[in-house]
């Protein structure tokens, strides 16, 4: 297992109260989530001063170490989760039951001292259970808006595919525009804002597949997979008697994470690397085994994720290797393959890797 000290430096290989849901909300401050003061327990870090790569490494290393206390032996999965966080995106965790999907989401959320909410998606969940609802106030003789669990910095959506498409669509505006519109009134969401959703691709009874528009709003998708024997034995030794989530303490705060996001957003991307990202996405649209290729939104998310990967690798600029490191988790879940491709047992991951091998890599992509 990769040590936590190596985690940052090593480049990755190219691969609500109406009874409808069980909703758990955590707000470190009083009042509504939108009133949360980002300068909380770790407010000294969020003083607005410029942040450097060294501080970024230190903060991300501490978050990674915290998450790895819960998700043992999966540094690559933790890397993608942190890349998504720094890219100001959303993460879809898809795998079989019992491998730690919800634990990953909750561990990342608890590692940051900010507003956190958790929604258990069920077939009878309503859109208003997610976004909030206007309630008539008899004392004021007027309607007042009661925010739903989506008004938090990190929203954990457990088993998102168990909710109806109508309820799933309640997240579309939130994830793309970081706002909620209820009764013709638009409410802005706080920054940072991240949705971490889990789903089980095996047990399909009573579930609703995520539509393409919903999947396209997730920056990355990860599959945790089964741990190796040594990691599973270590998990049994350490976790059988106590839940590590109960002992997890925040190691950063929302204000600091927002500054990290702004630092990553400013990293240099040369015209050659931008062109390479566009060519990778365009190549997925021209393959005969692909019915629906990567969208322009996918290209934007690919570049943003590559910036985050460059920051984790200690560079102020993006190189083609950064695109390779994030291409599979960013692009694969957006592709819709043909029936013939499925019959030939071709996966979207195979298609993305084939595109990476076919599209010429630009040279001299460093800043002039």
């Amino acid at each position: 297992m990769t040590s936590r000290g190596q985690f940052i430096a090593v480049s990755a290989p190219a691969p609500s109260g109406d009874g409808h849901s069980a909703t758990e909300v955590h707000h470190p401050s009083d009042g509504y989530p939108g009133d949360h003061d980002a300068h909380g327990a770790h407010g000294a870090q969020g003083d607005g001063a410029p942040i450097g790569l060294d501080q970024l490494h230190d903060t991300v290393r501490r978050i990674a170490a915290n998450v790895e206390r819960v998700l043992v032996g999966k540094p690559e999965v933790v890397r993608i989760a942190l890349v998504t966080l720094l890219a100001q995106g959303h993460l879809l965790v898809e795998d079989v039951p019992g491998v730690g999907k919800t634990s990953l989401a909750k561990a990342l959320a608890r590692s940051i001292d900010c507003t956190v909410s958790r929604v258990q998606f069920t077939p009878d969940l309503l859109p208003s259970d997610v976004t909030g609802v206007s309630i008539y106030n008899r004392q004021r003789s007027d309607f007042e808006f009661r925010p739903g669990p989506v008004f938090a910095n990190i929203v954990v959506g457990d088993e998102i595919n168990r909710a109806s498409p109508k309820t799933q669509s309640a997240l579309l505006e939130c994830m793309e525009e970081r706002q909620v519109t209820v009764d013709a009134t638009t409410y802005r969401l706080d920054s940072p804002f991240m949705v971490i959703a889990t789903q089980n691709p095996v047990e399909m009874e009573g579930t609703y597949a995520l539509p393409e528009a919903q999947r396209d709003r997730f920056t990355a998708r990860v599959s945790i997979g089964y741990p190796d024997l040594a990691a599973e034995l270590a998990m049994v030794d350490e976790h059988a008697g106590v839940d590590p989530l109960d002992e997890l303490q925040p190691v950063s705060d929302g204000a600091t994470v927002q500054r990290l996001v702004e630092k990553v957003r400013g990293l240099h991307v040369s015209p050659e690397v931008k062109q390479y990202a566009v060519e990778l996405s365009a190549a997925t649209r021209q393959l005969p085994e692909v019915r629906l290729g990567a969208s322009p939104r996918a290209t934007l998310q690919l570049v943003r994720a590559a910036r985050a990967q460059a920051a984790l690798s200690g560079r102020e600029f993006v190189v083609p290797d950064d695109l390779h490191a994030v291409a599979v988790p960013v692009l694969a879940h957006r592709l819709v393959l043909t029936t013939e491709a499925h019959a030939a047992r071709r996966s979207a991951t195979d298609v993305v890797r084939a595109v990476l091998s076919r599209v010429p890599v630009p040279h001299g992509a460093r800043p002039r």
Side-chain angles (χ1 to χ4, degrees):
M1 172 178 165
T2 306
S3 68
R4 297 185 179 110
Q6 295 174 320
F7 175 80
I8 301 301
V10 175
S11 295
S16 58
D18 56 4
H20 285 288
S21 66
T23 304
E24 165 188 308
V25 184
H26 166 57
H27 305 311
S29 62
D30 294 331
Y32 290 138
D35 299 328
H36 173 60
D37 180 8
H39 300 268
H42 302 270
Q45 302 179 45
D47 55 5
I51 195 169
L53 282 181
D54 289 341
Q55 186 178 351
L56 185 148
H57 282 174
D58 179 66
T59 303
V60 176
R61 184 179 293 113
R62 285 187 281 113
I63 296 175
N66 229 27
V67 176
E68 287 179 5
R69 290 175 54 193
V70 176
L71 195 68
V72 179
K74 296 293 180 180
E76 178 68 10
V77 174
V78 177
R79 176 187 72 86
I80 294 300
L82 293 176
V83 163
T84 305
L85 176 66
L86 294 179
Q88 205 172 17
H90 310 288
L91 182 66
L92 178 62
V93 188
E94 182 180 272
D95 217 320
V96 297
V99 295
K101 300 186 300 296
T102 305
S103 296
L104 168 65
K106 295 175 73 173
L108 181 60
R110 293 190 183 188
S111 297
I112 304 170
D113 185 23
C114 59
T115 56
V116 177
S117 66
R118 177 182 177 275
V119 183
Q120 180 66 54
F121 282 78
T122 56
D124 60 345
L125 191 73
L126 298 177
S128 59
D129 296 329
V130 178
T131 60
V133 64
S134 294
I135 297 178
Y136 185 73
N137 189 322
R138 302 178 66 177
Q139 294 179 340
R140 296 172 51 187
S141 299
D142 196 6
F143 285 90
E144 62 179 26
F145 179 64
R146 296 292 178 89
V150 77
F151 283 84
N153 294 117
I154 296 181
V155 179
V156 179
D158 205 6
E159 296 188 291
I160 187 175
N161 57 334
R162 290 203 174 277
S164 67
K166 181 179 181 179
T167 301
Q168 292 178 14
S169 65
L171 290 173
L172 294 179
E173 181 184 15
C174 310
M175 296 172 67
E176 180 65 18
E177 304 173 46
R178 287 173 167 77
Q179 66 182 31
V180 173
T181 301
V182 178
D183 295 335
T185 302
T186 299
Y187 305 89
R188 298 294 301 178
L189 299 176
D190 284 349
S191 293
F193 174 70
M194 181 181 186
V195 174
I196 308 174
T198 71
Q199 71 170 354
N200 175 7
V202 177
E203 186 183 352
M204 300 307 296
E205 184 175 351
T207 65
Y208 304 84
L210 292 182
E212 285 75 14
Q214 183 82 47
R215 288 185 309 190
D216 198 40
R217 280 165 169 77
F218 284 101
T219 299
R221 180 190 64 180
V222 293
S223 295
I224 297 177
Y226 292 111
D228 57 39
L229 295 180
E232 191 166 2
L233 179 59
M235 181 183 66
V236 171
D237 287 339
E238 299 173 10
H239 300 177
V242 61
D243 187 353
L245 278 170
D246 295 337
E247 302 176 352
L248 220 57
Q249 297 296 324
V251 294
S252 185
D253 62 7
T256 300
V257 170
Q258 183 60 28
R259 292 168 61 210
L260 298 182
V261 168
E262 293 170 358
K263 172 66 177 179
V264 168
R265 192 184 300 154
L267 297 190
H268 178 79
V269 184
S270 68
E272 294 85 357
V273 172
K274 293 178 183 178
Q275 180 68 25
Y276 184 49
V278 171
E279 291 174 355
L280 288 176
S281 294
T284 66
R285 307 165 195 158
Q286 301 167 1
L287 298 175
E289 60 262 50
V290 177
R291 184 160 57 89
L292 181 64
S295 67
R297 182 192 286 121
T299 309
L300 291 174
Q301 297 292 344
L302 182 62
V303 173
R304 291 173 183 172
R307 278 194 171 107
Q309 175 62 32
L312 296 184
S313 300
R315 279 180 278 100
E316 296 273 0
F317 55 89
V318 178
V319 298
D321 282 347
D322 298 320
L323 293 173
H324 281 229
V326 299
V328 170
V330 171
L331 297 180
H333 67 287
R334 306 172 190 268
L335 306 184
V336 179
L337 305 187
T338 62
T339 304
E340 293 76 13
H342 286 297
R345 297 186 179 277
R346 290 271 285 173
S347 68
T349 297
D350 296 333
V351 172
V352 174
R353 288 174 177 165
V355 166
L356 292 174
S357 65
R358 294 174 188 174
V359 179
V361 179
H363 299 286
R366 296 195 177 194
R368 298 182 178 88

